[in-house]
Amino acid sequence: MSDAFLARLAGAPVSWGVCEQPSWGIMLDVRRVLSELTSVGLHAIELGDDGFFPADDTETRELLAEYDSRMLGGFVSLLLHDPSRRNEMLAIAEKAASRLAGTGASYFVTAAVMDYDWRTPTPLDRAGFEVLNESLLLVDEICARHGLTQVLHPHMNTMVETKRDVDLALETTSVLWCIDTGHLAIGGTDPFQFVQENFDRIGLCHLKDVRLDVAARVMARELTTRQAVDAGLFPPLGQGDVPLKEVVLSLEDQGYRGWYVHEQDSALVEEPAENEGPVADLRISVDWLLTDVVPFIKASA
């Protein structure tokens, strides 16, 4: 059971400080990240920010093969709610989908941003979400042409942030979702309840733990995302306030056979010593999953 679960567990470059948001921090070398990822037993990863993997698709695939790994998907920020900028958005989506498909990925993970500088979002009303859904459906068409599955990612500081946003987005959109346990919790959505009520909408799961005391300061706009990360917003799995065990067991009991992506957002100001830094936290998270969660998955699952 443990090996089977690990075979469906991927890593996210943001766990090593590789982030799409501007001015985030230093970016570790991709070879170091792949080496640390596979040392813990994970063999799939997401694309990360521009410049992390080689720009050439063939070089990226060869690098992944060298580490017995595969590309799972990639996080794509898109401005979906403004019809006047739709052509620009579609061009960005087309480029991103071509890149992901070229590297062997399966998932196109969409974040609906206020703008490409990640400014604080102005909440949408129902009509705004209906416009956003029109854009999502067009992105779905692009993804289908490239053999990708689009999944909508709720995320703090985006248009799908709070419980109100999530509820409206569920009502007005039809695409699949990437449930991110941490970002749902930050915005006030219970990820366990989400899984229980919306299992048929789930295409991918990002496993992230959160300290809700720090999250409250983020939602009050007292801390930026980067400041919150520095304040310990995202601890190793099992050390925060998110009911991760219940989420995973519910997914498995309902027949989920898809991927999980471990995420513990970090921001690095200097390169950690060997076997220290993000990989140490990754080991804690994987050990927790294998010890406290996997043994409780039903054998028939």
Side-chain angles (χ1 to χ4, degrees):
M1 181 69 75
S2 295
D3 290 343
F5 188 85
L6 279 182
R8 296 161 55 207
L9 181 63
V14 73
S15 298
W16 284 266
V18 179
C19 184
E20 296 82 359
Q21 295 190 39
S23 305
W24 186 261
I26 68 168
M27 186 183 299
L28 292 182
D29 181 76
V30 64
R31 288 184 175 276
R32 172 170 180 171
V33 173
L34 289 172
S35 176
E36 293 184 347
L37 179 82
T38 54
S39 75
V40 185
L42 277 57
H43 293 272
I45 193 169
E46 292 189 340
L47 183 61
D49 195 14
D50 290 344
F52 179 56
F53 275 97
D56 181 81
D57 293 346
T58 299
E59 289 182 23
T60 293
R61 292 195 303 270
E62 290 174 348
L63 178 60
L64 288 166
E66 184 180 335
Y67 287 88
D68 189 25
S69 295
R70 61 157 294 183
M71 186 69 70
L72 184 65
F75 185 88
V76 185
S77 304
L78 293 176
L79 200 163
L80 300 165
H81 62 285
D82 186 347
S84 70
R85 299 184 67 179
R86 185 166 285 165
N87 287 340
E88 172 195 21
M89 180 276 295
L90 291 174
I92 293 171
E94 181 71 40
K95 181 179 178 181
S98 177
R99 168 64 168 158
L100 286 167
T103 62
S106 300
Y107 295 96
F108 184 110
V109 183
T110 299
V113 293
M114 176 74 179
D115 60 35
Y116 294 113
D117 293 322
W118 282 75
R119 285 190 303 160
T120 301
T122 300
L124 296 175
D125 58 13
R126 177 176 291 272
F129 271 107
E130 290 172 351
V131 171
L132 186 145
N133 181 55
E134 294 172 0
S135 296
L136 284 173
L137 293 176
L138 293 172
V139 175
D140 244 7
E141 294 177 5
I142 291 173
C143 290
R145 289 201 304 271
H146 289 278
L148 301 169
T149 298
Q150 178 185 204
V151 284
L152 176 63
H153 190 315
H155 198 290
M156 63 179 176
N157 214 39
T158 71
M159 312 311 295
V160 187
E161 177 183 44
T162 65
K163 186 178 187 305
R164 169 195 171 276
D165 300 333
V166 169
D167 290 344
L168 274 172
L170 282 168
E171 294 171 10
T172 56
T173 68
S174 57
V175 298
L176 292 173
W177 284 57
C178 168
I179 61 159
D180 185 298
T181 55
H183 285 286
L184 285 173
I186 290 169
T189 298
D190 181 343
F192 175 68
Q193 183 179 358
F194 186 102
V195 168
Q196 292 286 90
E197 296 177 353
N198 303 286
F199 176 74
D200 61 338
R201 298 291 299 273
I202 297 169
L204 185 65
C205 179
H206 281 185
L207 290 176
K208 187 193 301 286
D209 215 339
V210 166
R211 284 180 50 198
L212 291 180
D213 59 335
V214 181
R217 299 181 64 195
V218 175
M219 295 305 295
R221 310 305 182 194
E222 296 174 7
L223 296 175
T224 65
T225 304
R226 171 59 194 275
Q227 290 169 338
V229 168
D230 291 342
L233 176 63
F234 301 117
L237 302 185
Q239 296 191 7
D241 301 310
V242 178
L244 293 174
K245 178 177 179 179
E246 290 81 358
V247 167
V248 173
L249 294 183
S250 177
L251 283 169
E252 295 296 309
D253 286 349
Q254 294 182 77
Y256 182 71
R257 300 297 179 267
W259 284 88
Y260 297 92
V261 181
H262 167 272
E263 279 195 329
Q264 183 188 351
D265 299 21
S266 66
L268 305 176
V269 295
E270 61 183 18
E271 185 165 344
E274 187 174 354
N275 293 319
E276 295 182 8
V279 69
D281 280 350
L282 176 60
R283 290 194 184 97
I284 293 171
S285 292
V286 171
D287 286 346
W288 177 79
L289 284 169
L290 297 182
T291 302
D292 289 63
V293 179
V294 173
F296 296 93
I297 297 175
K298 294 179 181 177
S300 60

